[in-house]
Amino acid sequence: MSQSVLAREIFGPLGGLVEIGAVVSAGSWSLADVSVGAFVDGRREHLARVLALIRDIGEFDPDTMLIFDELGYARDHPVAVPSLLLSSGGYEEVSPRLGEPGAVRRMSRMGADLQLTRYLQALVNAAIARGADAAEGAPLVREALGIAVRITGDAPEPGAATVFAMWRVAFLAEILRPDSAARPDARDAFRQYAHALEDALGAR
């Protein structure tokens, strides 16, 4: 995969998590109360650190890292119902009630689960694509995951170990199947990352 594709696979979930974090931090489950700009302003240090980790994980060049800014995730913008619906994988039925607090809450929590899991897969994929072994790459992935978990906000959300467990079921099992499309060396690399992350996160 190209640098651009690998980076976009990380930035997409991360952008969704920024929006979800802004919704959660507003505290009312009303999209009218959400300010992505204010949310990001209060978390500039976290966002800068996670982007630095992503750069190192994928060895992305400066032009590739600019994609995150170009996508506008860190700029102030309204969080629309369709965006939450997409982030949550269509968890709610499309209806005029999608903007109600209960639906927003459910989409936000499901969206956090789904996007954190996709984010972890994209991080590991980028690390393996650049040839970093697990001893080198797993600590960076672990830190980048931990920051993303904190970004999702104050509502009950999965810890990093729970995200790892969801990723292991949602992605890893398919990759490790003998009949999967992954090359044998890629399967070995994913297995090594899984073992290293399990140890680092204290996952069951």
Side-chain angles (χ1 to χ4, degrees):
M1 288 187 184
S2 69
Q3 278 206 348
S4 173
V5 171
L6 289 168
R8 286 176 183 274
E9 288 189 344
I10 299 171
F11 294 152
L14 180 60
L17 293 170
V18 168
E19 289 193 341
I20 290 166
V23 172
V24 172
S25 70
S28 65
W29 303 113
S30 171
L31 296 184
D33 298 333
V34 175
S35 171
V36 173
F39 177 79
V40 169
D41 284 344
R43 291 158 181 81
R44 290 284 178 191
E45 186 175 335
H46 283 163
L47 197 55
R49 177 57 182 162
V50 81
L51 289 172
L53 288 163
I54 290 167
R55 179 198 63 212
D56 293 345
I57 287 167
E59 289 188 347
F60 296 129
D61 60 37
D63 287 343
T64 300
M65 293 304 299
L66 283 175
I67 292 172
F68 186 77
D69 290 332
E70 292 167 358
L71 291 171
Y73 292 126
R75 294 195 293 269
D76 193 30
H77 63 277
V79 178
V81 165
S83 181
L84 273 185
L85 187 63
L86 183 64
S87 290
S88 66
Y91 191 55
E92 290 288 300
E93 183 180 2
V94 176
S95 78
R97 304 185 66 179
L98 272 179
E100 294 181 359
V104 170
R105 174 180 54 80
R106 289 189 293 270
M107 288 189 291
S108 296
R109 289 178 173 166
M110 171 60 177
D113 290 349
L114 183 57
Q115 297 309 317
L116 282 166
T117 307
R118 289 176 173 171
Y119 171 76
L120 178 54
Q121 169 63 11
L123 290 174
V124 175
N125 198 43
I128 291 172
R130 81 166 174 89
D133 63 28
E136 175 191 355
L140 303 179
V141 171
R142 178 195 178 190
E143 185 181 353
L145 175 61
I147 294 172
V149 167
R150 292 195 294 275
I151 283 174
T152 59
D154 304 319
E157 79 274 320
T162 303
V163 175
F164 169 79
M166 293 190 294
W167 167 77
R168 189 170 53 186
V169 172
F171 287 98
L172 187 64
E174 285 299 313
I175 291 170
L176 297 184
R177 286 171 56 95
D179 60 349
S180 79
R183 300 190 314 269
D185 59 330
R187 289 199 293 269
D188 287 343
F190 271 99
R191 186 178 291 110
Q192 290 166 17
Y193 267 84
H195 293 176
L197 288 168
E198 179 180 333
D199 290 343
L201 295 169
R204 293 177 58 188

